[in-house]
Amino acid sequence: MECGRLTVPLDRERPSGPRIEIAVSRVPASGTPAERRGILLVNPGGPGGSGLPYAVTKRAKLPASVRRSYDVIGFDPRGVGHSAPVDCGAMGGLFAAPGADPVPTTPRAERTYLASQRDMADDCAAGAGTEALPYLSTEQTASDMDAIRAALGEPRAGFLGISYGSYLGAAYAARFPHRVGRMVLDSVVGPWDWHDFDVIQSRAMLHARDTFFAWTAEHAERFGLGAGADDVRRSYLRVRQGLAARPVNGFGPAEFDRAVYRALGRTERWAGLADGLRTYLTDGSPDGLRPASALDSPESRNYEAANRIVKCADGPGPTPREVVADIRRIRRVDPQPVLTGLEASACAYWHHRPNHRTALGSPAAPPVLLVASAHDPVTPIEGARRLREVLPGSRLVTLDDDYSHGVFASRGNACVDGAVAAYLVDGTVPAADVRCSGPGLPVTAAAAPSK
């Protein structure tokens, strides 16, 4: 992997103003010069995800034909990793362990929740600097991408964006439609305001959790959490209620919800979640639910800070009243939701108020390939369908009977990977949308370990 730095303006409209450095990585194409198709910028998601190592980690999973055809280019978006990283300090208590219960159930709890969001906004203004907040946005990052393209001497930029990376790619297509090469947007964020997206995601998480309850019940001998979905739900609530009443070594309801949120996004994590629930009910230990890395690590702190700053820079935020109303609506669907993904709530108190939404897509851009899992709870498939409306001529590749986030060169599906590779390497745009057969829910038959 080759690494370098590119100096860009903090504000693209003031090229002679303050400048920042963007960290860039490159892994050259492995094929012959005749096979080369140019550069493929990659972004892993977020906002807040570091893309510098992604040139290596994602490239290793790409089909061989794509590796032979493209120089894979990673970069840390502005505010992230090695590109002028931001820090929001305590972020309103986000890193406290145990954290406050993230699901407010009374008017007093709602006021406390809003106060924490106000404190988070204040902490980010103090940590990043009020003068920098408007420029740590997706639109500015899209301009950085074009600066990378120009610095590498390429007429067009290929792009592979996953999750938030799909939003970034759509923003690039809006601003630089004639610079778009072959673009793949995987696990698509829809063209909504960030708070609206977060609310849509929270509802999808409820559907995924119900599916998890039913799946766990089908494997009652393996997990021992109950023979019916309602039984498993009661076991789940016993764990959460127990941790809310008596956190264990810094692990309480906020940490529990964060673990559930992460696990629901990929079905290969479901067995670990079920095992963790059973272990707590058996011996009172939440260790099976703890993440491998701490939330307050430097990398995590930077991620969470950049996440809020970018979301709040991308468009007008909600009002405090709207935040509370949406939480109440979610709780009417299910009184114990997972609200970990309501990241844009802090935008209700943000010190910079954007006056426009981020533009996404363009009729002048070439056809784009959208990829989605049929039941992805992190980026529900409706987002791909909506985004396609602003990217005329684009096609949607759907992995049916799949419940996970991240599809291309991730799920090991030959149908998906073949369609995307043909598009990237040969420019083959499918004549119609593509539907691929998915893996279904995980299969497990091992009995639960005896105690």
Side-chain angles (χ1 to χ4, degrees):
M1 182 175 74
E2 305 165 344
C3 295
R5 291 182 176 273
L6 180 66
T7 302
V8 298
L10 177 65
D11 177 4
R12 65 169 185 258
E13 304 298 336
R14 296 169 55 211
S16 60
R19 302 180 73 81
I20 59 174
E21 287 189 336
I22 303 298
V24 183
S25 60
R26 174 172 64 184
V27 180
S30 59
T32 64
E35 292 175 284
R36 190 175 182 276
R37 297 292 182 269
I39 59 172
L40 184 69
L41 278 75
V42 293
N43 179 273
S50 171
L52 199 64
Y54 204 56
V56 172
T57 57
K58 187 62 178 181
R59 182 185 182 277
K61 300 176 183 178
L62 296 175
S65 60
V66 178
R67 298 197 303 270
R68 294 181 65 83
S69 300
Y70 286 94
D71 297 346
V72 179
I73 310 297
F75 65 100
D76 279 347
R78 54 175 57 202
V80 175
H82 297 278
S83 297
V86 291
D87 182 2
C88 286
M91 293 192 72
L94 180 67
F95 306 110
D101 194 319
V103 181
T105 59
T106 65
R108 181 178 180 180
E110 290 169 349
R111 290 191 295 271
T112 299
Y113 176 86
L114 291 177
S116 72
Q117 301 305 306
R118 184 190 303 112
D119 290 345
M120 182 180 292
D122 291 345
D123 288 341
C124 283
T130 305
E131 66 284 353
L133 292 180
Y135 308 112
L136 298 173
S137 67
T138 297
E139 287 183 333
Q140 296 283 352
T141 297
S143 292
D144 297 341
M145 286 171 52
D146 201 59
I148 294 171
R149 174 204 60 76
L152 293 173
E154 298 287 340
R156 291 179 178 81
F159 182 71
L160 169 60
I162 292 83
S163 197
Y164 163 73
S166 67
Y167 186 92
L168 174 59
Y172 184 84
R175 183 159 178 80
F176 305 101
H178 301 295
R179 298 297 188 186
V180 174
R182 293 164 191 170
M183 178 176 284
V184 177
L185 307 181
D186 183 355
S187 302
V188 178
V189 174
W192 300 294
D193 291 336
W194 276 116
H195 177 70
D196 292 340
F197 167 79
D198 292 349
V199 171
I200 290 167
Q201 183 195 78
S202 71
R203 291 174 179 153
M205 282 285 168
L206 293 179
H207 290 297
R209 193 178 64 180
D210 286 344
T211 304
F212 166 77
F213 290 157
W215 173 81
T216 304
E218 290 175 0
H219 301 281
E221 290 187 4
R222 164 68 174 81
F223 298 115
L225 293 173
D230 289 343
D231 298 323
V232 176
R233 176 184 172 83
R234 281 191 286 271
S235 295
Y236 171 95
L237 292 175
R238 283 172 55 206
V239 175
R240 195 187 189 283
Q241 290 161 1
L243 289 168
R246 291 188 179 82
V248 180
N249 296 328
F251 196 94
E255 293 72 22
F256 175 80
D257 283 2
R258 199 172 294 122
V260 172
Y261 176 85
R262 179 181 181 276
L264 290 178
R266 297 280 295 195
T267 53
E268 60 265 33
R269 298 171 184 159
W270 286 14
L273 174 59
D275 284 338
L277 296 173
R278 186 192 65 243
T279 298
Y280 175 83
L281 292 173
T282 301
D283 61 21
S285 171
D287 289 349
L289 299 167
R290 290 182 188 275
S293 58
L295 180 66
D296 64 350
S297 69
E299 295 79 13
S300 179
R301 283 178 172 272
N302 175 231
Y303 175 92
E304 299 292 347
N307 176 280
R308 303 318 192 278
I309 290 175
V310 171
K311 284 193 170 187
C312 297
D314 279 352
T319 66
R321 180 172 294 181
E322 288 170 336
V323 170
V324 170
D326 283 326
I327 290 175
R328 289 177 178 177
R329 275 191 285 268
I330 296 167
R331 292 196 66 246
R332 283 197 289 271
V333 177
D334 189 300
Q336 192 60 70
V338 179
L339 302 182
T340 302
L342 292 188
E343 296 159 340
S345 295
C347 304
Y349 298 98
W350 213 243
H351 289 225
H352 163 68
R353 296 284 181 166
N355 58 15
H356 70 281
R357 299 174 62 185
T358 302
L360 300 176
S362 169
V368 168
L369 206 60
L370 308 172
V371 185
S373 165
H375 305 288
D376 176 2
V378 182
T379 52
I381 193 171
E382 181 59 24
R385 295 172 180 146
R386 290 285 301 275
L387 188 64
R388 182 170 55 175
E389 296 173 5
V390 297
L391 292 165
S394 297
R395 297 289 182 262
L396 173 60
V397 178
T398 301
L399 183 59
D400 288 325
D401 200 17
D402 185 75
Y403 299 78
S404 290
H405 183 59
V407 182
F408 171 57
S410 177
R411 303 296 291 153
N413 186 274
C415 171
V416 171
D417 292 355
V420 177
Y423 167 79
L424 287 173
V425 176
D426 302 322
T428 303
V429 178
D433 289 345
V434 177
R435 302 194 75 104
C436 299
S437 298
L441 294 172
V443 176
T444 178
S450 59
K451 291 287 182 178

